[in-house]
Amino acid sequence: MAADYQVHYPVMLPEVLDALAVADGKVYVDATFGNGGYSEAILNKANCKVIALDRDNTVLPRVEELKKQFGDRFDFRQGCFGNFAELVEENIDGAVFDIGVSSMQLDQAERGFSFAKDAPLDMRMSQTGTTAADLVNNLSETALADILYNYGEEKKSRQIAKKIVETRKIKPITTTCELANIIYQVIKRSFNQAIDPATRSFQALRIAVNDELNELQKGLKGASSRIVKNGRLVVVDFHSLEDRIVKTFLKNNSDKTVHVSRYRTPQPSTSNALFGFASKAIVPSAQELEQNNRSRSAKLRYAIKN
C-alpha cells in the first residue's frame, strides 16, 4: 500500500512552499495530510516541525513512513480539519489546506468517490456516518435537487432528482455506476465532453456526505486562531464553491486583497485586521498543467497574519 502513495504529485507544491515561507525552527500544520506530499516536502525544505491532520484512517501506513523518516519532527493527529482549534492547541507559524477529495481517495475505487469504476456508493472520508447511498435512497426529491444544485451547481438538478426517486422505487441505488447511469439518462454522455455529466452530481453528494463547506469555514477560523504574527495561511482549492468561501474569508478578515509577485515579500500591516495581506488567486504553472492533470482547476490563496 505504501508504494501507491508515492505516485501522487502534490498540487502547486513550489507555490505552496513559497507561500508558507518554510524556514528552520518553525511549526507548520498540514491540515489535509492525504498522501503526505506537502508534509514531506515541508520537512525536507527546512529543519522544522509538521503537525498533520486527516480524518481518513487509510492514511496511517503513510503516516508511519514519515514518522520513521523524520522522527519527532512529524506529528500526526487524526481528525477533521474543521476541528482544527481542538486538534492543534499550540501556536503555529503556518497552515496549508488542500481542499476536496484526494488523489489517493479517488484511486481507491471501493471508497465510492469516483464513477470511473463500479463500487459501493459510499464517499465518506472518515468511513463513518451517513453514506452517499443513504442520501440518494432516503432524501426527498426536493432535498436531493437542492444538494445537486447548491453543492454541484447542476442545472438539471430537478430532473436528476426526479429520475433518482423514480429508480429507487424499483430497487435501491447502491453503486457508483448505477447512479452515474441514472444521471446519463438525464444528461446524455458523449465522448468529446471535457467534463463527464456525472461529475457535478458526484461532487455535490460528496460535499454533503462530508459536510465539507461547513468544515472548511470552521477550519479556516481554527487555523487563523493558532497562527502567530507574520504566520501564513495557505489554501489550495478546486471548485468555485470552496474558492468563494476562502476568498470571502480572507477578504473579510484582511486590510485589502492585492496581487503581488510571489517573489516579493508583502509589507506587514499595522491595522487591527486579522490578516495584513491576502493574495488574489494564484494558478498552476504551464509546466504543472502539462504534467499534473489534477491541477487544472486549482487555485491557491494565502494570507499573512497581522
Side-chain angles (χ1 to χ4, degrees), residues 115 152 154 183-184 187-203 238-239 296-297:
F115 45 85
E154 175 53 69
I183 296 168
Y184 298 149
I187 310 174
K188 300 303 179 185
R189 189 184 187 188
S190 61
F191 291 106
N192 60 352
Q193 288 173 305
I195 300 176
D196 191 286
T199 301
R200 288 184 294 272
S201 294
F202 270 70
Q203 171 195 311
F238 298 87
H239 298 295
R296 68 186 185 278
S297 59

mmCIF file of all heavy atoms in Angstrom, residues 115 152 154 183-184 187-203 238-239 296-297:
data_model
loop_
_atom_site.group_PDB
_atom_site.id
_atom_site.type_symbol
_atom_site.label_atom_id
_atom_site.label_comp_id
_atom_site.label_asym_id
_atom_site.label_seq_id
_atom_site.Cartn_x
_atom_site.Cartn_y
_atom_site.Cartn_z
ATOM 1 N N PHE A 115 -16.857 7.548 -10.306
ATOM 2 C CA PHE A 115 -17.710 6.673 -11.107
ATOM 3 C C PHE A 115 -16.907 5.992 -12.213
ATOM 4 O O PHE A 115 -17.473 5.334 -13.085
ATOM 5 C CB PHE A 115 -18.866 7.467 -11.724
ATOM 6 C CG PHE A 115 -18.445 8.780 -12.321
ATOM 7 C CD1 PHE A 115 -17.962 8.859 -13.611
ATOM 8 C CD2 PHE A 115 -18.533 9.931 -11.570
ATOM 9 C CE1 PHE A 115 -17.559 10.070 -14.151
ATOM 10 C CE2 PHE A 115 -18.134 11.150 -12.092
ATOM 11 C CZ PHE A 115 -17.646 11.211 -13.390
ATOM 12 N N GLY A 152 -23.332 21.153 -6.269
ATOM 13 C CA GLY A 152 -22.741 20.746 -7.531
ATOM 14 C C GLY A 152 -22.972 21.737 -8.648
ATOM 15 O O GLY A 152 -22.452 21.571 -9.748
ATOM 16 N N GLU A 154 -25.439 22.017 -10.420
ATOM 17 C CA GLU A 154 -26.003 21.215 -11.500
ATOM 18 C C GLU A 154 -27.310 21.851 -11.981
ATOM 19 O O GLU A 154 -28.283 21.930 -11.243
ATOM 20 C CB GLU A 154 -26.243 19.783 -11.029
ATOM 21 C CG GLU A 154 -26.952 18.890 -12.044
ATOM 22 C CD GLU A 154 -26.264 18.882 -13.393
ATOM 23 O OE1 GLU A 154 -25.155 18.333 -13.480
ATOM 24 O OE2 GLU A 154 -26.849 19.431 -14.345
ATOM 25 N N ILE A 183 -27.925 9.412 -14.060
ATOM 26 C CA ILE A 183 -27.608 10.785 -14.482
ATOM 27 C C ILE A 183 -27.500 10.862 -15.997
ATOM 28 O O ILE A 183 -27.976 11.829 -16.626
ATOM 29 C CB ILE A 183 -26.306 11.249 -13.808
ATOM 30 C CG1 ILE A 183 -26.496 11.310 -12.296
ATOM 31 C CG2 ILE A 183 -25.868 12.611 -14.352
ATOM 32 C CD1 ILE A 183 -25.207 11.473 -11.508
ATOM 33 N N TYR A 184 -26.917 9.836 -16.611
ATOM 34 C CA TYR A 184 -26.762 9.826 -18.070
ATOM 35 C C TYR A 184 -28.114 9.757 -18.784
ATOM 36 O O TYR A 184 -28.217 10.145 -19.955
ATOM 37 C CB TYR A 184 -25.899 8.643 -18.511
ATOM 38 C CG TYR A 184 -24.488 8.658 -17.982
ATOM 39 C CD1 TYR A 184 -23.807 7.467 -17.725
ATOM 40 C CD2 TYR A 184 -23.827 9.855 -17.725
ATOM 41 C CE1 TYR A 184 -22.517 7.468 -17.221
ATOM 42 C CE2 TYR A 184 -22.539 9.858 -17.224
ATOM 43 C CZ TYR A 184 -21.886 8.668 -16.974
ATOM 44 O OH TYR A 184 -20.605 8.666 -16.479
ATOM 45 N N ILE A 187 -28.751 13.619 -18.667
ATOM 46 C CA ILE A 187 -27.749 14.368 -19.438
ATOM 47 C C ILE A 187 -26.980 13.373 -20.290
ATOM 48 O O ILE A 187 -26.208 12.566 -19.777
ATOM 49 C CB ILE A 187 -26.766 15.115 -18.508
ATOM 50 C CG1 ILE A 187 -27.523 15.931 -17.458
ATOM 51 C CG2 ILE A 187 -25.847 16.022 -19.336
ATOM 52 C CD1 ILE A 187 -26.624 16.567 -16.420
ATOM 53 N N LYS A 188 -27.219 13.398 -21.562
ATOM 54 C CA LYS A 188 -26.609 12.423 -22.465
ATOM 55 C C LYS A 188 -25.096 12.543 -22.458
ATOM 56 O O LYS A 188 -24.536 13.637 -22.463
ATOM 57 C CB LYS A 188 -27.144 12.611 -23.895
ATOM 58 C CG LYS A 188 -28.646 12.443 -24.010
ATOM 59 C CD LYS A 188 -29.094 11.070 -23.500
ATOM 60 C CE LYS A 188 -30.611 10.912 -23.606
ATOM 61 N NZ LYS A 188 -31.064 9.630 -23.001
ATOM 62 N N ARG A 189 -24.452 11.403 -22.446
ATOM 63 C CA ARG A 189 -22.998 11.333 -22.398
ATOM 64 C C ARG A 189 -22.435 11.235 -23.808
ATOM 65 O O ARG A 189 -22.948 10.488 -24.643
ATOM 66 C CB ARG A 189 -22.586 10.112 -21.581
ATOM 67 C CG ARG A 189 -21.119 10.011 -21.260
ATOM 68 C CD ARG A 189 -20.879 8.693 -20.529
ATOM 69 N NE ARG A 189 -19.517 8.582 -20.022
ATOM 70 C CZ ARG A 189 -19.013 7.493 -19.496
ATOM 71 N NH1 ARG A 189 -19.759 6.401 -19.406
ATOM 72 N NH2 ARG A 189 -17.773 7.469 -19.052
ATOM 73 N N SER A 190 -21.376 12.003 -24.084
ATOM 74 C CA SER A 190 -20.704 11.916 -25.379
ATOM 75 C C SER A 190 -19.204 11.869 -25.139
ATOM 76 O O SER A 190 -18.702 12.383 -24.131
ATOM 77 C CB SER A 190 -21.067 13.104 -26.276
ATOM 78 O OG SER A 190 -20.674 14.319 -25.677
ATOM 79 N N PHE A 191 -18.486 11.284 -26.068
ATOM 80 C CA PHE A 191 -17.068 11.037 -25.869
ATOM 81 C C PHE A 191 -16.220 12.306 -25.972
ATOM 82 O O PHE A 191 -15.082 12.320 -25.527
ATOM 83 C CB PHE A 191 -16.566 10.004 -26.879
ATOM 84 C CG PHE A 191 -17.118 8.629 -26.627
ATOM 85 C CD1 PHE A 191 -18.103 8.099 -27.441
ATOM 86 C CD2 PHE A 191 -16.652 7.867 -25.560
ATOM 87 C CE1 PHE A 191 -18.622 6.828 -27.203
ATOM 88 C CE2 PHE A 191 -17.163 6.596 -25.321
ATOM 89 C CZ PHE A 191 -18.164 6.073 -26.140
ATOM 90 N N ASN A 192 -16.748 13.373 -26.573
ATOM 91 C CA ASN A 192 -15.948 14.593 -26.731
ATOM 92 C C ASN A 192 -16.187 15.605 -25.621
ATOM 93 O O ASN A 192 -15.739 16.746 -25.698
ATOM 94 C CB ASN A 192 -16.237 15.233 -28.092
ATOM 95 C CG ASN A 192 -17.709 15.617 -28.249
ATOM 96 O OD1 ASN A 192 -18.527 15.276 -27.411
ATOM 97 N ND2 ASN A 192 -18.022 16.329 -29.337
ATOM 98 N N GLN A 193 -16.889 15.212 -24.564
ATOM 99 C CA GLN A 193 -17.137 16.121 -23.458
ATOM 100 C C GLN A 193 -15.896 16.271 -22.589
ATOM 101 O O GLN A 193 -15.241 15.287 -22.252
ATOM 102 C CB GLN A 193 -18.303 15.622 -22.592
ATOM 103 C CG GLN A 193 -19.668 15.765 -23.257
ATOM 104 C CD GLN A 193 -20.750 15.108 -22.416
ATOM 105 O OE1 GLN A 193 -20.645 13.938 -22.095
ATOM 106 N NE2 GLN A 193 -21.787 15.860 -22.083
ATOM 107 N N ALA A 194 -15.591 17.515 -22.213
ATOM 108 C CA ALA A 194 -14.440 17.764 -21.351
ATOM 109 C C ALA A 194 -14.706 17.284 -19.933
ATOM 110 O O ALA A 194 -13.808 16.789 -19.253
ATOM 111 C CB ALA A 194 -14.105 19.253 -21.353
ATOM 112 N N ILE A 195 -15.950 17.438 -19.468
ATOM 113 C CA ILE A 195 -16.337 17.029 -18.117
ATOM 114 C C ILE A 195 -17.484 16.033 -18.209
ATOM 115 O O ILE A 195 -18.486 16.282 -18.882
ATOM 116 C CB ILE A 195 -16.775 18.241 -17.275
ATOM 117 C CG1 ILE A 195 -15.611 19.241 -17.160
ATOM 118 C CG2 ILE A 195 -17.226 17.809 -15.895
ATOM 119 C CD1 ILE A 195 -15.977 20.504 -16.422
ATOM 120 N N ASP A 196 -17.354 14.906 -17.548
ATOM 121 C CA ASP A 196 -18.401 13.884 -17.543
ATOM 122 C C ASP A 196 -19.679 14.445 -16.914
ATOM 123 O O ASP A 196 -19.624 15.167 -15.914
ATOM 124 C CB ASP A 196 -17.927 12.662 -16.759
ATOM 125 C CG ASP A 196 -18.836 11.465 -16.931
ATOM 126 O OD1 ASP A 196 -19.938 11.480 -16.339
ATOM 127 O OD2 ASP A 196 -18.447 10.522 -17.633
ATOM 128 N N PRO A 197 -20.847 14.145 -17.485
ATOM 129 C CA PRO A 197 -22.115 14.675 -16.955
ATOM 130 C C PRO A 197 -22.389 14.309 -15.496
ATOM 131 O O PRO A 197 -23.156 15.001 -14.823
ATOM 132 C CB PRO A 197 -23.168 14.031 -17.864
ATOM 133 C CG PRO A 197 -22.465 13.717 -19.122
ATOM 134 C CD PRO A 197 -21.068 13.364 -18.719
ATOM 135 N N ALA A 198 -21.757 13.241 -14.997
ATOM 136 C CA ALA A 198 -21.991 12.821 -13.608
ATOM 137 C C ALA A 198 -21.115 13.563 -12.606
ATOM 138 O O ALA A 198 -21.361 13.499 -11.398
ATOM 139 C CB ALA A 198 -21.757 11.322 -13.471
ATOM 140 N N THR A 199 -20.126 14.284 -13.082
ATOM 141 C CA THR A 199 -19.136 14.899 -12.200
ATOM 142 C C THR A 199 -19.765 15.821 -11.171
ATOM 143 O O THR A 199 -19.473 15.755 -9.974
ATOM 144 C CB THR A 199 -18.086 15.672 -13.028
ATOM 145 O OG1 THR A 199 -17.437 14.770 -13.917
ATOM 146 C CG2 THR A 199 -17.064 16.330 -12.116
ATOM 147 N N ARG A 200 -20.627 16.722 -11.602
ATOM 148 C CA ARG A 200 -21.191 17.724 -10.689
ATOM 149 C C ARG A 200 -22.070 17.077 -9.622
ATOM 150 O O ARG A 200 -22.050 17.481 -8.454
ATOM 151 C CB ARG A 200 -21.979 18.769 -11.486
ATOM 152 C CG ARG A 200 -21.101 19.706 -12.300
ATOM 153 C CD ARG A 200 -21.909 20.771 -13.001
ATOM 154 N NE ARG A 200 -22.777 20.194 -14.026
ATOM 155 C CZ ARG A 200 -22.402 19.992 -15.279
ATOM 156 N NH1 ARG A 200 -21.161 20.304 -15.669
ATOM 157 N NH2 ARG A 200 -23.235 19.478 -16.157
ATOM 158 N N SER A 201 -22.834 16.063 -9.993
ATOM 159 C CA SER A 201 -23.702 15.400 -9.021
ATOM 160 C C SER A 201 -22.890 14.614 -8.002
ATOM 161 O O SER A 201 -23.215 14.611 -6.803
ATOM 162 C CB SER A 201 -24.683 14.466 -9.738
ATOM 163 O OG SER A 201 -25.584 15.208 -10.549
ATOM 164 N N PHE A 202 -21.836 13.951 -8.446
ATOM 165 C CA PHE A 202 -20.975 13.213 -7.516
ATOM 166 C C PHE A 202 -20.261 14.183 -6.574
ATOM 167 O O PHE A 202 -20.132 13.904 -5.382
ATOM 168 C CB PHE A 202 -19.963 12.357 -8.289
ATOM 169 C CG PHE A 202 -20.461 10.977 -8.600
ATOM 170 C CD1 PHE A 202 -21.476 10.778 -9.522
ATOM 171 C CD2 PHE A 202 -19.922 9.866 -7.968
ATOM 172 C CE1 PHE A 202 -21.958 9.505 -9.803
ATOM 173 C CE2 PHE A 202 -20.392 8.585 -8.246
ATOM 174 C CZ PHE A 202 -21.418 8.405 -9.155
ATOM 175 N N GLN A 203 -19.808 15.305 -7.100
ATOM 176 C CA GLN A 203 -19.189 16.324 -6.244
ATOM 177 C C GLN A 203 -20.172 16.794 -5.180
ATOM 178 O O GLN A 203 -19.823 16.923 -4.002
ATOM 179 C CB GLN A 203 -18.752 17.518 -7.080
ATOM 180 C CG GLN A 203 -18.292 18.712 -6.248
ATOM 181 C CD GLN A 203 -18.200 19.982 -7.059
ATOM 182 O OE1 GLN A 203 -17.619 20.008 -8.137
ATOM 183 N NE2 GLN A 203 -18.773 21.079 -6.548
ATOM 184 N N PHE A 238 -10.306 23.650 -5.486
ATOM 185 C CA PHE A 238 -10.514 23.172 -6.850
ATOM 186 C C PHE A 238 -11.898 23.490 -7.421
ATOM 187 O O PHE A 238 -12.135 23.243 -8.593
ATOM 188 C CB PHE A 238 -10.300 21.649 -6.900
ATOM 189 C CG PHE A 238 -8.910 21.231 -6.534
ATOM 190 C CD1 PHE A 238 -8.569 21.021 -5.205
ATOM 191 C CD2 PHE A 238 -7.931 21.074 -7.500
ATOM 192 C CE1 PHE A 238 -7.286 20.652 -4.851
ATOM 193 C CE2 PHE A 238 -6.643 20.705 -7.158
ATOM 194 C CZ PHE A 238 -6.313 20.494 -5.828
ATOM 195 N N HIS A 239 -12.791 24.012 -6.607
ATOM 196 C CA HIS A 239 -14.154 24.281 -7.079
ATOM 197 C C HIS A 239 -14.587 25.675 -6.660
ATOM 198 O O HIS A 239 -14.117 26.213 -5.652
ATOM 199 C CB HIS A 239 -15.130 23.241 -6.516
ATOM 200 C CG HIS A 239 -14.834 21.839 -6.949
ATOM 201 N ND1 HIS A 239 -14.933 21.433 -8.260
ATOM 202 C CD2 HIS A 239 -14.410 20.757 -6.253
ATOM 203 C CE1 HIS A 239 -14.591 20.154 -8.343
ATOM 204 N NE2 HIS A 239 -14.265 19.723 -7.153
ATOM 205 N N ARG A 296 -5.569 21.216 -12.960
ATOM 206 C CA ARG A 296 -6.150 22.099 -13.976
ATOM 207 C C ARG A 296 -7.134 23.128 -13.412
ATOM 208 O O ARG A 296 -7.260 24.224 -13.955
ATOM 209 C CB ARG A 296 -6.824 21.265 -15.083
ATOM 210 C CG ARG A 296 -8.072 20.508 -14.643
ATOM 211 C CD ARG A 296 -8.598 19.603 -15.757
ATOM 212 N NE ARG A 296 -9.851 18.954 -15.388
ATOM 213 C CZ ARG A 296 -9.941 17.861 -14.640
ATOM 214 N NH1 ARG A 296 -8.828 17.301 -14.188
ATOM 215 N NH2 ARG A 296 -11.107 17.336 -14.349
ATOM 216 N N SER A 297 -7.835 22.789 -12.346
ATOM 217 C CA SER A 297 -8.806 23.728 -11.780
ATOM 218 C C SER A 297 -8.356 24.314 -10.447
ATOM 219 O O SER A 297 -9.131 24.963 -9.749
ATOM 220 C CB SER A 297 -10.157 23.027 -11.597
ATOM 221 O OG SER A 297 -10.032 21.903 -10.745
#
